[in-house]
Amino acid sequence: MTKRKPLSTVVAESLAEKIRSGQLQPGAQLPTEAELCAEYDVSRTVVREAVARLRSEGMVVPQQGRGMFVSETPVPRNFSIPDEALRTLPETIALLELRLSVEVESAGLCAERRTDKEASDIRAMMDDIDAQQADPAAVQIHYDYDFHLAIAKAARNEFIHGFLAYLGPMIVPRFQLGYVVEPALKDSYYARIHSEHKAIVDAIERQDGGKARQAMRKHLHNSLGRVRALARASGVEATDAEQKAAAASLFTRLKRPLSTGG
């Protein structure tokens, strides 16, 4: 006799298929426990076990006080990530954390200090970048970095812009977007990123520093979440020694003495 699958497995596999097919889009909220119980005619215990399985596989993530949401990062299954790309993950996470701490304020200052032309140029740059929608396998994960630099430049703080420009060569040549975005989800991914970009630009145009900070935080936090999920799914330790070595190298260069001038 063929052994029947546990009900929690049946429910988990059904939900996983909905996620892979795009029926449940990245960022979409899962139905409530009561709705899933009714849909699959199972108990709450079964539903909780099924959702816990999806969470352990990185397919759904919790948002405190709101429920469970479809992860924006697929678990790598049918492709392999080169070792050299995997080795950059801890460093990439650390750099994204650094960007989060700097660029949130950068966006707020930009909204408060930008000129009309700068706001117009930032929107034009966003439209140009977001219209490209390149194959994820042929584009780097930080393909929008010039957009972020333009915001920093309009923040009227040369230390912020200079620091982010200095980090550029370290940040941009990371790994391919295809490692965190499945081809079938390409269109919905780019639409979501455009929505995040647009929220930042809209706030900059309204000169609303608070909303600009909030929108930038959400955008970078989502990017950080995607890379962290990839690292967890790949078994990469976030405190890898190579990240520490890279940080030591970076700050050694930052400690170069300032020129005192003539």
Side-chain angles (χ1 to χ4, degrees), residues 11-25:
V11 174
E13 289 179 349
S14 175
L15 290 171
E17 180 55 34
K18 288 181 179 181
I19 292 171
R20 294 192 186 98
S21 69
Q23 187 176 342
L24 284 172
Q25 294 282 325

Side-chain angles (χ1 to χ4, degrees), residues 16 32 49 66 79 85 105 243 257:
T32 65
E49 289 176 355
R66 298 186 61 199
F79 59 87
E105 186 62 17
Q243 183 231 92

Side-chain angles (χ1 to χ4, degrees), residues 1-5:
M1 293 180 61
T2 302
K3 185 176 180 181
R4 295 180 60 185
K5 293 181 180 179

Side-chain angles (χ1 to χ4, degrees), residues 48-261:
R48 288 169 184 166
E49 289 176 355
V51 172
R53 173 173 170 175
L54 294 179
R55 182 178 177 183
S56 70
E57 294 179 354
M59 301 190 77
V60 299
V61 292
Q63 291 189 13
Q64 188 171 4
R66 298 186 61 199
M68 301 297 297
F69 290 76
V70 178
S71 173
E72 294 188 47
T73 306
V75 176
R77 290 176 177 271
N78 299 322
F79 59 87
S80 60
I81 301 176
D83 287 344
E84 59 270 21
L86 281 176
R87 284 196 297 270
T88 70
L89 275 172
E91 184 183 334
T92 299
I93 290 169
L95 286 168
L96 273 168
E97 290 172 346
L98 176 58
R99 286 182 61 187
L100 186 62
S101 67
V102 174
E103 291 197 55
V104 169
E105 186 62 17
S106 171
L109 293 175
C110 174
E112 294 160 2
R113 299 172 177 177
R114 56 75 177 168
T115 64
D116 289 344
K117 184 179 186 306
E118 285 169 335
S120 176
D121 288 346
I122 288 169
R123 178 171 288 278
M125 179 177 286
M126 174 194 71
D127 288 339
D128 180 60
I129 289 172
D130 289 351
Q132 295 175 26
Q133 300 195 5
D135 178 356
V139 66
Q140 298 297 312
I141 191 169
H142 300 303
Y143 67 89
D144 62 347
Y145 198 62
D146 285 344
F147 167 73
H148 288 262
L149 283 178
I151 290 172
K153 188 170 182 62
R156 295 288 186 282
N157 184 315
E158 289 302 320
F159 288 96
I160 291 176
H161 178 259
F163 183 58
L164 291 175
Y166 174 83
L167 290 179
M170 295 183 64
I171 288 174
V172 176
R174 292 288 120 188
F175 48 88
Q176 294 170 340
L177 183 62
Y179 296 146
V180 295
V181 178
E182 292 179 345
L185 301 177
K186 176 176 81 75
D187 292 341
S188 62
Y189 172 82
Y190 281 123
R192 185 173 182 83
I193 295 301
H194 177 63
S195 176
E196 293 175 6
H197 284 166
K198 185 175 182 298
I200 297 167
V201 174
D202 286 349
I204 288 172
E205 289 180 336
R206 293 194 306 269
Q207 296 185 294
D208 188 333
K211 289 294 185 183
R213 290 178 178 91
Q214 180 181 346
M216 181 63 82
R217 179 178 295 279
K218 178 180 179 181
H219 175 51
L220 290 177
H221 189 270
N222 286 344
S223 296
L224 182 57
R226 285 186 283 270
V227 180
R228 280 176 172 163
L230 179 63
R232 287 195 301 269
S234 305
V236 175
E237 174 56 50
T239 57
D240 187 271
E242 292 191 19
Q243 183 231 92
K244 295 179 181 179
S249 174
L250 168 65
F251 288 109
T252 296
R253 281 178 279 156
L254 283 177
K255 290 176 182 177
R256 289 178 299 184
L258 294 173
S259 172
T260 58

